[in-house]
Amino acid sequence: MRIVAGTHRGRVVDAPDGSDTRPTTDRVREALFSTLFSIRGGFDGAVVLDAFAGSGALGFEALSRGAACAVFYEKSRSAANVVRKNAKSLGFSADQAHVVEADAMAHMRKPPAGAGFDLVFLDPPYSYDCGEVLGSVFAWPEGTIADGAIIVYEHALKDGDAVASACEKLGIEVLKAKKYGKTSVAILQTRS
């Protein structure tokens, strides 16, 4: 995998070994970030959460495009070590790329930047319940997610209705839903 655009364009991002992670392809990341750019007007100063980091490719893409910092949650020790290795090889400081080896659904802490996350990437295993994943976001400590934050939720195509239903119950606006093969990406926004 490579960083698609920004200051680190073309740089390689390693993926964890095995089949426990499902890296977002370069093509999907490129399309996703183009859409996010249109919605957000860019990435400068963004406080990013990559909640099921895997390789960290989504968070590193945001950093390459101007995000202020990214926090990477990954509960697998081997995958968290890959994220740390990627951050080091890309030249990001610990303040820019902070890796937390923990389950984002259960152990979320407020961002180290002090401001709530305003760009959140959720790319959990497809076996996770959509309502439970989105519900956990709103169970995090107050101020963890900024008002009006953009949440990107990558899920199995077959779970589209469940995601829409969970969003409706939680008061999350669905801005866009894109399909890429058997994968769907929902771009959501919390209400201010």
Side-chain angles (χ1 to χ4, degrees):
M1 292 183 304
R2 296 185 180 277
I3 302 288
V4 176
T7 58
H8 291 72
R9 181 182 179 171
R11 299 281 303 273
V12 173
V13 176
D14 289 335
D17 291 332
S19 60
D20 290 341
T21 59
R22 180 187 22 78
T24 304
T25 66
D26 294 355
R27 180 181 75 87
V28 172
R29 265 186 295 111
E30 184 172 15
L32 170 62
F33 274 83
S34 176
T35 301
L36 289 173
F37 184 88
S38 295
I39 292 169
R40 290 180 46 85
F43 300 93
D44 291 346
V47 179
V48 176
L49 171 63
D50 193 341
F52 299 85
S55 67
L58 293 168
F60 292 127
E61 188 72 43
L63 286 169
S64 179
R65 294 174 186 240
C69 64
V71 177
F72 301 85
Y73 267 76
E74 177 52 59
K75 71 178 184 177
S76 160
R77 173 166 286 157
S78 60
N81 286 336
V82 169
V83 177
R84 289 183 188 99
K85 179 184 167 198
N86 283 332
K88 185 175 181 179
S89 72
L90 292 168
F92 291 119
S93 71
D95 289 337
Q96 291 173 295
H98 182 71
V99 181
V100 179
E101 191 177 315
D103 182 347
M105 289 177 62
H107 302 287
M108 180 56 61
R109 296 186 299 246
K110 288 187 178 180
F117 294 111
D118 55 15
L119 180 57
V120 177
F121 294 103
L122 302 174
D123 187 9
Y126 284 174
S127 60
Y128 281 36
D129 178 83
C130 303
E132 197 174 313
V133 171
L134 289 169
S136 74
V137 171
F138 290 92
W140 291 338
E142 188 175 334
T144 302
I145 304 297
D147 289 341
I150 301 294
I151 299 173
V152 177
Y153 187 9
E154 187 173 332
H155 58 87
L157 184 61
K158 66 178 180 61
D159 292 333
D161 290 341
V163 170
S165 175
C167 288
E168 186 176 331
K169 287 178 188 170
L170 293 165
I172 305 170
E173 182 179 359
V174 179
L175 299 177
K176 290 193 184 273
K178 303 261 187 175
K179 298 174 186 175
Y180 305 96
K182 293 181 180 178
T183 295
S184 186
V185 177
I187 300 175
L188 317 169
Q189 187 166 30
T190 61
R191 297 202 173 120
S192 302

